[in-house]
Amino acid sequence: MSNTKPTRHRGVLAPVLTPFHDDFEPDAEAFVEHCKSLIASDVGLAIFGTNSEANSLSLAEKIELIDTLVAAKIDPARVMSGTGSCSLKEAVALTRHSVDAGIGSVLMLPPFFFKNVSEDGVFAFYSEVIEAVGDMRLAVYLYHIPALSGVSITPALIERLRKRYPATIAGVKDSTGDWENTRMLLTTFSDDGFDVFPASEALLLDALKLGAAGCISGTANVNPVMLSTLYRMAHEPVSAHLHENAVSIRKAFQQVPMIPAMKAAIALRTGRESWKNVRPPLVPYKTVDMRATVALLEAGERTLMALQSHAPG
């Protein structure tokens, strides 16, 4: 068992979109390129999240993509690996591989096929993974997205897990989109040993006032500089204007299926048509015109540049 302390994250992270070739195989080259561009924009990498189409990827594909990032010299301290699975053995295998690759932080869904499972069952799942990996470098961020998983990460469950594994249970991503739930998590677990990440930049400023660690937002894939600047300048007068711009862009993507829309926007901006590819059951935006949405992104970037050019210092 390693004695190295786990990595803790701050700031904005993107649940990294997974590019595919036309045969639906992951495009490792485009994946690394996208990851490097996000890090260059000061956005961390939450690989294998919902927007990554993680549950459409096999265990072997995820392991290969992790190895590709390591080979490309991506700093593992900037990465959070999504390792949740309905299969206990697969969750253990991917978590162990992530930690061995230097990615100690993992974002872990509860097992999500069976519904109305007991708190004891969900606790046992997380406990078995932590015990099986058995590494002090491991930091588990609990992934609360009940609208898709059908399984809630309750305050009582968080308390039980923290009591049993105080050095390992690092925080939670709250993907309810409900400010009252995020506020409750922030006020209930207000000490500095537990990090709360809302899943939307719309909640970022209010959440930071209560001690949030940042946010993990899908639209950080397409609007990274704006969001990283919003986090960095959250306490500056300009933050309200930045927030307004960031939320307007998020709303534009929320009006349509977000994953195909973000991929189509990246395809338009990079000229790489294969970025439009999504794995079934998702379907790509082949006929929808994304130019107006991309123009909104570019207008936001111009606004940001203008604000920065007039900033003191």
Side-chain angles (χ1 to χ4, degrees), residues 128-311:
E128 290 291 336
V129 174
I130 293 167
E131 296 284 355
V133 173
D135 197 311
M136 291 298 293
R137 294 173 295 176
L138 176 62
V140 173
Y141 290 84
L142 307 168
Y143 191 1
H144 181 51
I145 183 168
L148 292 182
S149 71
V151 180
S152 290
I153 305 296
T154 64
L157 175 63
I158 294 172
E159 194 60 50
R160 285 182 67 184
L161 286 166
R162 292 191 73 205
K163 185 176 181 179
R164 179 66 182 84
Y165 303 104
T168 303
I169 300 299
V172 62
K173 178 187 178 186
D174 180 25
S175 289
T176 61
D178 177 2
W179 166 243
E180 286 306 311
N181 194 74
T182 302
R183 184 184 63 79
M184 177 275 294
L185 290 169
L186 286 164
T187 55
T188 302
F189 304 102
S190 57
D191 62 275
D192 59 4
F194 190 79
D195 301 329
V196 177
F197 288 88
S200 170
E201 58 271 32
L203 304 181
L204 180 58
L205 293 185
D206 287 337
L208 288 174
K209 292 174 184 176
L210 295 178
C215 74
I216 303 174
S217 170
T219 42
N221 281 282
V222 291
N223 197 24
V225 177
M226 176 76 74
L227 298 195
S228 63
T229 305
L230 177 62
Y231 172 79
R232 190 173 65 253
M233 303 184 71
H235 302 295
E236 301 295 330
V238 74
S239 65
H241 191 53
L242 291 173
H243 184 257
E244 181 182 354
N245 272 270
V247 171
S248 68
I249 290 168
R250 183 176 182 87
K251 286 180 178 178
F253 282 96
Q254 284 181 321
Q255 290 173 0
V256 291
M258 278 186 66
I259 297 171
M262 290 190 293
K263 284 190 159 185
I266 293 174
L268 185 58
R269 301 194 78 178
T270 63
R272 192 192 289 253
E273 281 295 301
S274 61
W275 257 112
K276 293 182 180 179
N277 295 329
V278 291
R279 272 191 175 172
L282 300 185
V283 292
Y285 271 15
K286 288 187 175 178
T287 59
V288 175
D289 191 345
M290 291 296 296
R291 285 178 294 183
T293 306
V294 168
L296 184 63
L297 279 171
E298 293 172 346
E301 290 167 356
R302 289 193 295 272
T303 297
L304 178 59
M305 290 178 64
L307 289 170
Q308 290 176 325
S309 69
H310 290 91

Side-chain angles (χ1 to χ4, degrees), residues 17 27 38 45 50 69 75 82 84 88 95-96 103 126 148 156 169 175 178 197 227 246 249 273 282 284 290 292:
L17 295 167
D27 184 339
L38 291 172
L45 311 176
T50 300
L69 288 183
D75 181 2
L88 177 61
T95 302
R96 181 180 290 131
I103 304 170
Y126 282 115
L148 292 182
I169 300 299
S175 289
D178 177 2
F197 288 88
L227 298 195
I249 290 168
E273 281 295 301
L282 300 185
M290 291 296 296

